[in-house]
Amino acid sequence: MATLEPINLIKGWPSTSLLPTHHLSRAAQTALADTSIAFPGLLYGPDEGYAPLRDTLGSWLTSFYQPEQPIGQERITISGGASQNLACLLQVFTDPVYTRDVLFAAPAYMLAFRIFQDNGFSGKMKAVPEDDHGMDMVALRRALEESEKRSPDNRSPMFKPPRPYAKYYRHVIYCVPTFSNPSSRTLPLDRRTELVKLAREFDALVISDDVYDFLQWPADPNDSKSTSITKALLPRLVDIDRFLDGGAERPGADGYGNTTSSGSFSKIAGPGLRVGWSEGSPKFAYGVSQTGSSCSGGAPSQLTSTYMNILVKEGTMSEHIFKILQPAYAARYKTLVSAIQKHLCPHGAKLPKSNQPIVGGYFLWLTLPDTIKAVDFVKRCQIEAQVIIAPGNIFEVPGDDSVKFEHSVRLTFSWIDQVLMIEAVKRISVVLESCLKGEGPTANHKQQYQPVLK
Ligand SMILES: Cc1ncc(COP(=O)(O)O)c(C=O)c1O
């Protein structure tokens, strides 16, 4: 048998062909040639991050999300990306004892689990299932109520000292409400509002990874608007929390708010830049900046922040997103969907149901026929078809067996080109047919199987 070229449908990375290298090269040269930019860029920066970028981001996010009032720099702290920001948020705003639990919309972004474990939350992580429209709010309320009943005497932080700019929340809720990784679902507006209200009622912090929001296109492949959508599909949770009933400053509230948005340039410019941002109430945003590592070294990614400030301010970032990325990822998405519809759906595989007119992100969540276990299927796809895909079980919340994804897989459409994508789906369909016929794995299974996780 001829050797097949391996095809990777697990990597949630931007395509190298879509990285804005030429724009970054120019921005880097501009920044480094001008000492008024280069010196602050190369020295320790302020705890809150490079001020010009905070200001520029405020205007840029205002034009995309169009909240009731503009977003000022006092709501933004620069981060080293959503992952690093998550670690900072947990360091500042949680105590592993006082904070009763972490509730994940499940299936959940698997690489977040370890960040919570590193902060003492092993054994306290719980899954809240999604339905076709995202996190189930009835299940979330039940989980919060049960958790409160379990720990009535837990009244004060045990490991974290009192600090002027750190509040310790009783619960954490982690979600990716727009074009989720991995389920690709989008939480509708009514549930977003309900989520904010629940967070307030139970003193929870909702950490919302909003890293895919800019990558959107019409769900209908025949829609002619498919080249650029310059306004966000829905308000973020942080926008709702800011204005609902007076926001973080309403009577009786402590000014911190109950939601934060993690943004990132990873998916739209390049993860190697390690630049992102954290948005919340001014008190919250300042609190994030007071994490020990930022007080010592300044906010992360100071130099690359100067490059991103140039690109966002002059409009190049928007142009790249709206003119290059949206059409390119829309085309990849459509290719993958139609290949799945042609080659896998006739064999019982199902794509999620959605009534959202706009879709986006990097991923598709596929449910296999009930007779097929995703872990075995993924193994066979890798060994027999040289196609690497992610089994549903890696998105299950560790330590919580109540929500399982034994028959689901995640496919990424961002990393490989459309020709390879079609080829991958055709190869997967051969494995699927073989599984459905009840045929066992081929002899190649004697090879050692090395699971690939990212
Ligand atoms: C939901 C989600 N959050 C965070 C990240 C990582 O983002 P960053 O590179 O900004 O740390 C990813 C990357 O796959 C992601 O899908």
Side-chain angles (χ1 to χ4, degrees):
M1 198 173 81
T3 322
L4 293 170
E5 182 190 346
I7 306 179
N8 190 314
L9 286 174
I10 202 170
K11 246 184 208 308
W13 295 18
S15 165
T16 50
S17 65
L18 297 171
L19 296 173
T21 44
H22 52 300
H23 296 311
L24 280 163
S25 161
R26 185 179 42 77
Q29 285 170 41
T30 304
L32 290 169
D34 178 345
T35 51
S36 73
I37 305 174
F39 286 173
L42 285 165
L43 293 170
Y44 289 114
D47 302 347
E48 303 94 315
Y50 185 57
L53 179 60
R54 293 170 62 219
D55 200 39
T56 301
L57 273 174
S59 312
W60 191 55
L61 297 174
T62 300
S63 71
F64 183 64
Y65 290 106
Q66 301 185 10
E68 285 172 36
Q69 286 167 32
I71 301 165
Q73 65 159 289
E74 68 287 352
R75 292 185 56 81
I76 294 171
T77 287
I78 302 304
S79 74
S83 319
Q84 187 268 350
N85 186 46
L86 176 55
C88 288
L89 294 172
L90 299 179
Q91 285 159 20
V92 175
F93 293 110
T94 67
D95 175 90
V97 172
Y98 179 72
T99 305
R100 285 139 173 81
D101 48 19
V102 180
L103 301 164
F104 292 85
Y109 170 51
M110 74 295 192
L111 299 176
F113 299 142
R114 184 165 180 156
I115 305 173
F116 285 96
Q117 289 162 343
D118 286 350
N119 283 278
F121 288 104
S122 293
K124 285 185 143 191
M125 306 196 318
K126 304 268 175 306
V128 177
E130 288 184 347
D131 60 19
D132 288 338
H133 309 291
M135 191 174 8
D136 177 342
M137 292 299 131
V138 176
L140 176 61
R141 170 176 284 284
R142 201 181 315 121
L144 288 162
E145 283 171 353
E146 279 168 11
S147 157
E148 283 294 337
K149 272 190 226 140
R150 269 197 306 273
S151 45
D153 302 325
N154 184 358
R155 288 175 210 279
S156 54
M158 186 167 281
F159 291 106
K160 301 283 178 82
R163 290 218 170 103
Y165 286 97
K167 137 168 198 166
Y168 301 111
Y169 288 84
R170 291 167 84 90
H171 306 268
V172 172
I173 301 167
Y174 173 82
C175 57
V176 188
T178 307
F179 316 136
S180 172
N181 177 6
S183 74
S184 61
R185 294 180 183 117
T186 292
L187 198 68
L189 185 58
D190 56 343
R191 288 202 197 181
R192 289 178 187 232
T193 308
E194 210 177 331
L195 178 49
V196 170
K197 287 183 178 167
L198 275 174
R200 289 181 180 183
E201 184 181 336
F202 287 89
D203 188 28
L205 171 63
V206 184
I207 300 175
S208 177
D209 271 3
D210 297 326
V211 301
Y212 297 103
D213 294 17
F214 283 89
L215 300 175
Q216 53 179 351
W217 45 86
D220 175 1
N222 302 315
D223 190 320
S224 58
K225 285 199 298 301
S226 55
T227 45
S228 67
I229 307 177
T230 56
K231 179 180 186 307
L233 172 60
L234 286 166
R236 294 165 301 173
L237 295 162
V238 82
D239 300 316
I240 296 172
D241 194 28
R242 182 176 171 199
F243 298 108
L244 185 72
D245 300 331
E249 305 299 334
R250 69 193 181 283
D254 57 19
Y256 284 96
N258 290 85
T259 62
T260 178
S261 169
S262 268
S264 177
F265 286 111
S266 288
K267 309 296 175 178
I268 49 181
L273 289 159
R274 302 311 314 142
V275 188
W277 60 93
S278 187
E279 188 187 327
S281 73
K283 208 166 158 182
F284 187 94
Y286 185 71
V288 182
S289 78
Q290 295 309 289
T291 189
S293 55
S294 292
C295 287
S296 165
S301 311
Q302 176 75 355
L303 181 62
T304 42
S305 289
T306 65
Y307 308 166
M308 293 320 296
N309 181 51
I310 292 169
L311 295 191
V312 177
K313 196 164 183 173
E314 70 186 14
T316 311
M317 192 67 243
S318 293
E319 208 171 296
H320 182 67
I321 292 170
F322 300 129
K323 299 221 171 108
I324 307 286
L325 297 185
Q326 284 190 354
Y329 285 128
R332 284 161 189 248
Y333 167 88
K334 284 167 192 166
T335 300
L336 185 57
V337 168
S338 62
I340 289 171
Q341 284 167 340
K342 184 164 172 200
H343 300 288
L344 303 181
C345 292
H347 301 301
K350 290 192 189 102
L351 286 165
K353 284 186 229 124
S354 159
N355 51 9
Q356 289 288 355
I358 306 288
V359 292
Y362 271 16
F363 307 103
L364 277 175
W365 185 246
L366 194 68
T367 306
L368 303 169
D370 287 352
T371 49
I372 298 177
K373 279 209 166 276
V375 273
D376 300 333
F377 180 70
V378 164
K379 190 170 171 183
R380 286 188 65 174
C381 285
Q382 187 173 328
I383 294 170
E384 295 169 26
Q386 293 291 309
V387 178
I388 300 163
I389 56 178
N393 69 316
I394 66 171
F395 307 101
E396 292 168 4
V397 176
D400 184 348
D401 285 341
S402 66
V403 185
K404 309 284 279 180
F405 303 102
E406 288 172 326
H407 305 291
S408 300
V409 292
R410 187 195 73 177
L411 310 184
T412 312
F413 53 84
S414 59
W415 177 242
I416 57 163
D417 68 31
Q418 285 150 268
V419 176
L420 278 181
M421 218 177 271
I422 297 170
E423 165 71 15
V425 174
K426 284 185 185 162
R427 289 193 212 165
I428 292 173
S429 78
V430 174
V431 178
L432 183 57
E433 270 189 83
S434 166
C435 292
L436 287 169
K437 283 184 198 148
E439 292 169 357
T442 63
N444 282 354
H445 266 217
K446 293 201 185 90
Q447 291 172 5
Q448 214 193 353
Y449 169 64
Q450 296 281 354
V452 181
L453 293 178
K454 59 177 173 171

